[in-house]
Amino acid sequence: MSLVLDPAAQDLLFREARTANTFTEEPVTDEQVQAIYDLVKFGPTAFNQSPLRVVLVRSAEGRERLVRHMAEGNRPKTAAAPLVAILAADNEFHEELPALLPHFPQAKDLFFSERPAREAAAGLNAALQAAYFIIGVRAAGLAAGPMTGYDAAGVQKEFLDDDHTPLMVVNIGKPGEDAWFPRSPRLSFDEVVTTV
């Protein structure tokens, strides 16, 4: 059985998509970012909690502030990418639940009154949304360079607050010259899937 998704779209989103390490100077527009969000916001999260929050770093001053918190090997590509997104989990997402889950507004207090429960749920579901975000960037014909090599406490202090936990930094743009490292191996179906 073949997939319903067109093979060219499969290549764009998965097989040919890579983590970019260099970018052209072509800007990423606000309209592109809005289109990406308008697509990926429909991905499922538990209780429709939607805890992902995005900080777009465009200005030279903001870029300078971010680059100093990146791991040494990530600094040049973050400094050169046309747009950088800090993806974070909102640990106070439950405040939006009455609007996001109108048929079950009591979920806010029933399941998420305690901070540890919110942090666990926000971390898992925002990470899921971050994966959608990367696919959305690819769907826009752009390359994404997601990274976790940075000083998380520094990024949180510089760009967020105590209620938001940084998950990753994503460089976004059109791939530049020598953008790709060789593709690393993947596990086979039989190594991953067990049927019981």
Side-chain angles (χ1 to χ4, degrees):
M1 177 180 168
S2 63
L3 298 173
V4 173
L5 190 65
D6 177 87
Q10 294 174 38
D11 287 343
L12 177 71
L13 299 178
F14 298 101
R15 286 190 289 263
E16 299 299 325
R18 308 287 292 280
T19 296
N21 295 290
T22 66
F23 298 89
T24 69
E25 293 181 4
E26 183 177 332
V28 177
T29 67
D30 290 338
E31 292 77 17
Q32 286 173 300
V33 177
Q34 180 74 53
I36 290 165
Y37 177 73
D38 286 343
L39 179 65
V40 303
K41 69 183 179 184
F42 294 110
T45 57
F47 294 96
N48 197 33
Q49 61 191 244
S50 306
L52 182 70
R53 302 295 180 265
V54 181
V55 176
L56 298 177
V57 182
R58 284 195 186 278
S59 70
E61 180 266 337
R63 189 71 56 101
E64 185 178 318
R65 289 169 46 211
L66 177 59
V67 165
R68 69 174 166 242
H69 296 291
M70 301 303 294
E72 188 68 35
N74 291 332
R75 289 178 181 173
K77 51 192 169 186
T78 301
L83 180 65
V84 183
I86 301 169
L87 305 187
D90 180 359
N91 297 307
E92 298 297 311
F93 69 87
H94 69 305
E95 297 296 344
E96 305 294 337
L97 281 181
L100 291 172
L101 202 65
H103 63 280
F104 188 26
Q106 62 270 35
K108 172 188 171 187
D109 298 317
L110 189 60
F111 296 107
F112 302 111
S113 61
E114 301 295 326
R115 177 72 179 229
R118 291 197 304 274
E119 288 179 353
L124 174 63
N125 287 279
L128 181 61
Q129 287 186 284
Y132 304 146
F133 184 87
I134 292 166
I135 298 296
V137 168
R138 293 172 174 180
L142 301 169
M147 301 168 293
T148 55
Y150 59 89
D151 172 13
V155 168
Q156 183 178 31
K157 183 176 181 181
E158 192 83 40
F159 294 95
L160 304 166
D161 59 31
D162 290 342
D163 290 330
H164 294 81
T165 303
L167 299 173
M168 67 182 69
V169 173
V170 183
N171 296 326
I172 303 169
K174 291 283 187 181
E177 189 175 336
D178 299 321
W180 322 118
F181 294 145
R183 188 179 290 283
S184 297
R186 299 298 196 265
L187 296 174
S188 71
F189 179 86
D190 292 334
E191 292 174 300
V192 174
V193 178
T194 303
T195 303
V196 293

